[in-house]
Amino acid sequence: QVQLVESGGGLVQAGGSLRLSCAASRSIFNSMGWYRQAQGKQRELVARRMSTGTTTYADSVKGRFTISRDNAKSTLYLEMNSLKPEDTAVYYCNLNLFSVNYWGKGTLVTVSS
């Protein structure tokens, strides 16, 4: 069993930046990612970092968001720059471990125009 705890969300003006963190309860080297769910919409992939180091991003965030991890701290990060109102959502950390998906409770990001 793994617990994931997100932090770093908040209210920011358009054009601003935030850094989200996801702390895992133990060392993990598997694929991890960030998803988001806006009100009334389905949850969508934002960014994923594979155990090989390969990263993928949704087209809507390419060039603005950066996913990274600190294995020593068992923490996944999402650096978000040039934020837009359409980035407003609850952001969730995800771990896929032996075909089981683990999720955090999410952190709310609100971008005002």
Side-chain angles (χ1 to χ4, degrees), residues 1-106:
Q1 191 77 350
V2 179
Q3 282 75 47
L4 303 173
V5 180
E6 303 97 336
S7 62
L11 174 63
V12 63
Q13 288 188 331
S17 299
L18 282 174
R19 187 175 81 155
L20 305 183
S21 300
C22 171
S25 57
R26 60 182 180 91
S27 296
I28 298 170
F29 299 97
N30 297 69
S31 169
M32 294 186 71
W34 288 97
Y35 287 70
R36 67 185 180 187
Q37 187 166 17
Q39 196 168 8
K41 296 188 176 181
Q42 288 189 332
R43 192 171 298 189
E44 63 175 0
L45 174 67
V46 175
R48 176 160 290 278
R49 190 182 187 282
M50 309 300 288
S51 58
T52 57
T54 302
T55 56
T56 58
Y57 296 91
D59 287 343
S60 59
V61 306
K62 281 181 181 177
R64 300 188 299 121
F65 291 11
T66 303
I67 188 171
S68 63
R69 67 192 291 169
D70 185 333
N71 289 334
K73 296 181 179 180
S74 301
T75 302
L76 183 74
Y77 300 100
L78 185 68
E79 186 75 37
M80 306 187 295
N81 298 312
S82 302
L83 283 161
K84 304 175 181 180
E86 50 264 44
D87 294 318
T88 295
V90 178
Y91 284 70
Y92 297 92
C93 180
N94 169 265
L95 163 69
N96 186 277
L97 184 62
F98 304 120
S99 300
V100 176
N101 272 312
Y102 294 91
W103 297 93
K105 293 184 178 181

